[in-house]
Amino acid sequence: AQSVSQHNHHVILSEAASLELGCNYSYGGTVNLFWYVQYPGQHLQLLLKYFSGDPLVKGIKGFEAEFIKSKFSFNLRKPSVQWSDTAEYFCAVNAPDDYKLSFGAGTTVTVRA
Amino acid sequence: DAGVIQSPRHEVTEMGQEVTLRCKPISGHDYLFWYRQTMMRGLELLIYFNNNVPIDDSGMPEDRFSAKMPNASFSTLKIQPSEPRDSAVYFCASSTLGARNTEAFFGQGTRLTVV
């Protein structure tokens, strides 16, 4: 079974600052990787996903993530955050033949205007 | 498609009462998942179905919890009797077998409060 670790529980930063959220997973085989975002009071929405190919994945709203296989990592980045990026961010993983997603504990991001 | 639809959005009930949460997955999706989200435990997978058949219910916390999927367009999660510690947001999600690599689409969730 896979497990996912998100090292930052809560991140507070100012608008225009850069953001990087860490995500590590434990699974020896091929994985699919996802970042979901949950805005206050809303459901989870997909930010980006990695299945194969270019390890640098670009998602919506200026987010990107880099898959580093040797480090079992899939860190999320955004060069310049906005107040509207305040949300909770979840990293998730599954194996290609297993539709069950394993989620990390989530990172709450608060962007101050 | 309207996406995954859950009802009700909010439910407040008294301890000991039966609670039924409902989910309509995206049309054509073969997989349906029930997740529970709490501050303490984050997002937990309770159960998931493939083609209306329960595949893995190892996340269901107790016998008080049960889930059904009588057809491809409807699923229920029932708690009987409910307890205050069941208070959480319950999400339903669906995905498709059509593409091997696909993401899950989530509903808006049901916020359950048991008093």
Side-chain angles (χ1 to χ4, degrees):
Chain A
Q2 310 94 354
S3 69
V4 183
S5 297
Q6 292 182 242
H7 310 296
N8 310 102
H9 180 63
H10 193 180
V11 172
I12 302 171
L13 60 169
S14 300
E15 278 193 310
S18 64
L19 173 69
E20 181 161 358
L21 302 182
C23 173
N24 287 90
Y25 66 93
S26 64
Y27 184 69
T30 303
V31 292
N32 298 324
L33 297 155
F34 309 83
W35 276 98
Y36 282 84
V37 61
Q38 186 178 26
Y39 298 104
Q42 296 191 25
H43 64 294
L44 279 80
Q45 304 169 45
L46 184 71
L47 265 183
L48 47 79
K49 59 189 178 186
Y50 172 81
F51 294 148
S52 65
D54 189 343
L56 184 61
V57 179
K58 295 195 183 297
I60 60 172
K61 305 188 181 189
F63 285 91
E64 65 179 28
E66 185 175 12
F67 171 51
I68 303 179
K69 188 175 181 179
S70 60
K71 294 184 179 180
F72 298 89
S73 70
F74 190 57
N75 293 352
L76 180 72
R77 297 193 291 254
K78 185 169 183 178
S80 177
V81 295
Q82 301 173 310
W83 175 82
S84 58
D85 293 323
T86 294
E88 190 159 13
Y89 294 80
F90 294 91
C91 183
V93 61
N94 69 356
D97 58 354
D98 180 358
Y99 287 80
K100 187 169 66 174
L101 275 174
S102 296
F103 282 88
T107 299
T108 301
V109 173
T110 302
V111 179
R112 293 185 169 155
Chain B
D1 199 310
V4 177
I5 299 172
Q6 291 186 247
S7 63
R9 291 291 310 277
H10 302 274
E11 176 81 36
V12 180
T13 190
E14 291 185 344
M15 182 173 63
Q17 296 298 306
E18 177 180 296
V19 175
T20 299
L21 312 181
R22 297 173 177 78
C23 175
K24 181 181 187 307
I26 292 173
S27 177
H29 280 192
D30 309 270
Y31 283 80
L32 184 140
F33 308 84
W34 281 102
Y35 284 88
R36 177 172 68 175
Q37 185 181 35
T38 61
M39 289 288 290
M40 292 297 294
R41 301 172 71 93
L43 269 164
E44 305 171 273
L45 177 65
L46 300 177
I47 184 171
Y48 77 99
F49 296 82
N50 174 220
N51 290 324
N52 314 337
V53 176
I55 302 300
D56 184 350
D57 65 355
S58 59
M60 296 284 264
E62 301 170 32
D63 291 344
R64 297 184 296 106
F65 285 70
S66 63
K68 294 182 180 179
M69 192 165 185
N71 56 61
S73 59
F74 183 66
S75 176
T76 59
L77 177 68
K78 185 178 292 186
I79 309 172
Q80 166 63 22
S82 58
E83 296 182 4
R85 60 195 168 116
D86 301 331
S87 298
V89 181
Y90 291 81
F91 287 103
C92 176
S94 70
S95 66
T96 178
L97 180 63
R100 176 174 281 269
N101 297 318
T102 185
E103 71 267 25
F105 294 82
F106 283 77
Q108 298 274 9
T110 295
R111 182 175 294 278
L112 173 65
T113 304
V114 183
V115 297

